[in-house]
Amino acid sequence: MRHFALSVVLCAALFGCTDKQDTESATAPVVDLGKSIAETQCAGCHGLDGRGVTPEIPHLAAQFEKYLLDSMIAYKEGRRTHAALRDMAASLSEKELQSVVSYYASLPPLKSEAGEVAQADILSPYEKGEAVASKCAGCHNQDGNSTIAGTPSLAGQQPLYLLNAMREYLDGSRMCTTPEKKELVTLLNRVDNESMALYYASQTPAQRPATAVGDAVAGEPLTASCGSCHGSHGVSHDATIPSLAAQDPDYLVNAISAYRDQIRVHDDMHQVLTKFSDEDIGDIAAFYATQVSRPAEADPLTIKELAERCDRCHGPAKDHLFVHPKIHGQQKTYLIKAMRDYLDEKRDNSMMHAMVSPYTSALIDSIAAWYSTQPAR
Ligand code: HEC
Ligand code: HEC
Ligand code: HEC
Ligand code: HEC
């Protein structure tokens, strides 16, 4: 009940909570039941114009009536959780509920807050990663094709492998060989890392010239046991296993030796590599370094292309179904929370679960920024 009182106080403070029409004319129209409920119970949080007053409160203006009603019933029945809404939904009669959601549904769409979201946020993770990569360009080059001997190329690399490597640097299970890098790694958040991984994965690996670290022809037969994991000619098709093709040869020598000597620990790798001499390792590195690689993510999506997948249900074409809520112009913070709730199974919707991927944080962030800045309809 405290929430009710709070909403009324907030409402009074923020909006005055007066019905202008009351004071305007002697023939005051019959105050619409829905509007009067909105004024006393909802406006403190959703405004009288249907605008959420804080970032985590959804806009209700122009939303489908049926969706709003279904949501209230979901709160009441506990399929969606929010204590204040559960209490309100339970205390309102069916008629009152119907009239208050009709009121909000009848309001004109709000102007979207395009100005409040940074332009740099309204990009797909693939595009956002470019800015993250600029911090790493001193060693890995902007497109991830490194030209410093001993520094690995990241261009075209499997994204989940890159993400795992960053996690290992951060938790200390993989050593950062340079202090500058170590500091950079700690400054990146999850969204940065996921975006970075997708950005590099979509870059084209440059072909490398012959190298002096070994004999590529002698190296090829030694790699017979590697292809089952690293792919034919070192082009991996598994998002967790790195491509070796077109990798920097000195880096390959270091990495293979490190696994063999258990400086870098990985059971699979240690077993397959114990039998190799330093010369063998040079030959293997020469072979892989000169193979042609290709981007692990060949089809980087723009934010518009990502959103098109959602518009299949949330676009105007599906408006006749009413069950797909309008999300254009909705609050960014609320959209993020709603998507998270689906993923965490706090809200039940099988389609939304399908979005779970290792890059979920970055995808959700980008998509929420996009929709929040689109004109509400
Ligand atoms: C104390 C603040 C508060 C008050 C008062 C309040 N709401 Fe909400 N409302 C919220 C928040 C926060 C959410 C988002 C909850 C969530 O994440 O599920 C929400 C969500 C909703 C939703 C779901 C919208 C969607 O897009 O899924 C509906 C419908 C709704 N409120 C209607 C109402 C109505 C009708 C009233 C008045 C009877 C009301 N609310 C009063 C805070 C409030
Ligand atoms: C000072 C130079 C330097 C900078 C700056 C740098 N790196 Fe590195 N990076 C390296 C070197 C050297 C290695 C290989 C040795 C190691 O693991 O430390 C490496 C390895 C990696 C690997 C593992 C690649 C593999 O194939 O296993 C990833 C991922 C990576 N860096 C990402 C980044 C990201 C992201 C940034 C920017 C935030 C960055 N690096 C900045 C030098 C650098
Ligand atoms: C059973 C699967 C498997 C086989 C077989 C295998 N690898 Fe690997 N390899 C992996 C995995 C998984 C990783 C990533 C390990 C990690 O995160 O440290 C890896 C990492 C590597 C790396 C580090 C790449 C980088 O970018 O840092 C090199 C180099 C490598 N393997 C070479 C080889 C060679 C050469 C062979 C064959 C002699 C081989 N691997 C066979 C699974 C395998
Ligand atoms: C197959 C149809 C379908 C697709 C595709 C789809 N959705 Fe949904 N979405 C729904 C339905 C149905 C609901 C309402 C479920 C409920 O009542 O909780 C919903 C609800 C939502 C909500 C909650 C809205 C609110 O006001 O609380 C958000 C946010 C959302 N979807 C975002 C997305 C995004 C982002 C995408 C694309 C990645 C997407 N949806 C793709 C069907 C779909």
Side-chain angles (χ1 to χ4, degrees), residues 217 262 266:
V217 176
Q262 293 203 283
H266 194 279

Side-chain angles (χ1 to χ4, degrees), residues 115-238:
E116 301 196 3
V117 178
Q119 210 57 33
D121 281 342
I122 317 169
L123 292 170
S124 83
Y126 298 91
E127 300 164 314
K128 261 193 208 170
E130 189 174 353
V132 183
S134 69
K135 301 186 173 118
C136 323
C139 297
H140 292 288
N141 283 349
Q142 177 61 43
D143 67 354
N145 279 299
S146 115
T147 42
I148 303 171
T151 300
S153 276
L154 308 177
Q157 190 53 282
Q158 288 293 345
L160 198 49
Y161 173 72
L162 292 174
L163 202 53
N164 288 343
M166 296 304 278
R167 204 196 54 233
E168 287 171 5
Y169 285 131
L170 200 59
D171 70 20
S173 56
R174 185 166 167 185
M175 258 238 311
C176 263
T177 51
T178 50
E180 184 192 344
K181 157 91 162 258
K182 196 169 180 180
E183 199 185 319
L184 272 172
V185 167
T186 59
L187 296 177
L188 302 184
N189 63 28
R190 227 191 129 77
V191 170
D192 292 335
N193 277 327
E194 292 174 10
S195 306
M196 172 279 294
L198 291 175
Y199 166 76
Y200 282 131
S202 64
Q203 300 305 301
T204 305
Q207 210 182 330
R208 290 190 184 265
T211 157
V213 302
D215 176 353
V217 176
E220 179 163 15
L222 301 176
T223 65
S225 65
C226 319
S228 60
C229 293
H230 289 284
S232 165
H233 293 257
V235 181
S236 164
H237 295 285
D238 179 326

Side-chain angles (χ1 to χ4, degrees), residues 161 225-226 229-230 242 244 251 256 259 264 266 268-269 272:
Y161 173 72
S225 65
C226 319
C229 293
H230 289 284
L244 305 177
Y251 174 73
I256 298 173
Y259 285 122
R264 201 173 151 182
H266 194 279
D268 289 341
M269 294 306 304
V272 291

Side-chain angles (χ1 to χ4, degrees), residues 41-42 45-46 58 67 72 75 80 82 85 88 334 337:
Q41 302 211 18
C42 322
C45 292
H46 294 288
Y67 172 72
M72 292 307 278
Y75 288 120
R80 285 181 72 175
H82 190 279
L85 282 163
M88 277 184 273
Y334 173 72
K337 174 175 188 286

